[in-house]
Every structure is written in C-alpha cells, then in structure tokens.
C-alpha cells in the first residue's frame, strides 16, 4: 500500500469528515463492518455509531477542528496518527474563562486500512480532561462530553 493510499484516507477522516461533519463521506472511506475501539471509555462502535459521533460532536461543538500532526504507515497497513483537537469558545458565552483562543487536546489513533477502506481503529485522546474543562462551558444540565456519551 502506498503512503498516500493509507495515510491519505485516515487524514481525510480526521480533517474533513470529523472536523467538518461530512457524514456522507464516511461510506466512501470506511468498510461496512468498521469497528472503532474507544480506549478511554472502553467502548466499541460500529459505522452507525461513528456517524452518530461525528454528527453529535459537530452539532454540540461548532467550529471544532482536527489537525493531523504526524502519521506513519506500517508494513502491515496500519496507520498511526497523532492529532490535535481545537475547540473554539462558544460565540454566545461571554462569561467563559478561556485559555487563549479556546481549548486544545491531543490524541493518537491506529487505523487498519485495507484496499483503501478503514476497517478498524483504536483511539485514545484527552477525553477526560476535555470533559472536565468543556462540560461547564458548553452544557448546562445534562450536557456531557463527549457529546455521544
């Protein structure tokens, strides 16, 4: 597999699909029996769950951005990705105490890519820190982070 074939598919997921909420593109780059292993919350999601995660994250946190910092394709078609998540301050919340221009988190994923489709991913990122910092700002009452929980 070429680097662009494996790394490009995973980069497209983080930056275009997750970062911009393009649900329709999920079917183009993910296998029908896709599995996402969330190592922080010890959950496993199907492609249906992934679509819900992308939709709810982009709805709950408008302007969220995912930046791929580094990627490596291994000999067995696994793509290791180091990424950052940037969460802007809510436009309507004048009382939020912000660290600079919003919040920044980092994470890593391993994705198994076969014939140009992502078949399985393992994800770990600073979700617990995000829950503590973003919960009071973005959500009164029953709001939770991540939004799909």
């Amino acid at each position: 597999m070429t680097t662009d074939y494996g790394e490009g598919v995973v980069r497209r997921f983080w930056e275009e699909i997750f970062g911009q909420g393009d649900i329709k593109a999920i079917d183009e780059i993910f296998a029908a029996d896709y599995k996402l292993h969330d190592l922080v919350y010890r959950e496993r999601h199907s492609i249906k769950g992934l679509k819900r995660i992308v939709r709810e994250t982009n709805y709950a946190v408008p302007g969220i951005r995912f930046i791929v910092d580094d990627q490596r394709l291994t000999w067995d078609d696994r793509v290791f990705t180091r990424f950052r998540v940037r969460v802007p301050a809510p436009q309507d919340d004048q009382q939020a105490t912000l660290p600079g221009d919003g919040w920044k988190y980092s994470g890593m994923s391993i994705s198994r890519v076969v014939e140009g489709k992502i078949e399985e991913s393992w994800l770990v990122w600073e979700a617990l820190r995000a829950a503590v910092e973003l919960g009071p700002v973005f959500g009164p009452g029953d709001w939770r982070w991540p939004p799909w929980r």
Side-chain angles (χ1 to χ4, degrees):
M1 178 181 304
T2 66
T3 301
D4 288 340
Y5 195 54
E7 291 177 6
V9 169
V10 176
R11 180 179 294 274
R12 183 173 176 210
F13 164 66
W14 284 113
E15 294 180 350
E16 293 178 27
I17 295 173
F18 214 131
Q20 298 172 18
D22 186 1
I23 304 294
K24 294 177 186 174
I26 288 176
D27 292 326
E28 294 174 25
I29 68 167
F30 286 90
D33 60 346
Y34 172 76
K35 292 176 233 32
L36 168 63
H37 303 275
D38 183 333
L39 301 176
V40 175
Y41 291 106
R42 298 174 139 184
E43 295 176 344
R44 193 168 103 183
H45 302 278
S46 65
I47 197 158
K48 181 179 176 183
L50 177 66
K51 288 178 181 180
R52 182 174 52 88
I53 289 168
V54 170
R55 185 181 316 105
E56 291 179 10
T57 299
N58 278 271
Y59 175 78
V61 188
I64 193 169
R65 285 186 33 218
F66 291 81
I67 301 108
V68 172
D69 287 322
D70 191 23
Q71 287 186 303
R72 294 292 181 264
L73 176 65
T74 65
W75 61 271
D76 61 349
D77 298 334
R78 294 178 197 272
V79 178
F80 288 76
T81 304
R82 187 172 52 84
F83 63 90
R84 285 177 289 144
V85 181
R86 299 189 92 192
V87 178
Q91 297 298 321
D92 60 346
D93 188 357
Q94 300 300 322
Q95 299 178 7
T97 304
L98 302 176
D101 60 346
W103 297 268
K104 297 173 187 158
Y105 305 98
S106 61
M108 295 179 71
S109 70
I110 302 170
S111 300
R112 188 167 49 85
V113 181
V114 177
E115 297 180 9
K117 299 260 187 179
I118 302 172
E119 292 200 345
E120 193 166 16
S121 298
W122 295 264
L123 171 66
V124 63
W125 69 288
E126 296 179 287
L128 300 176
R129 184 170 69 93
V132 169
E133 293 177 354
L134 299 178
V137 175
F138 280 91
D142 66 348
W143 190 89
R144 61 209 186 277
W145 184 267
W148 62 89
R149 295 214 25 88

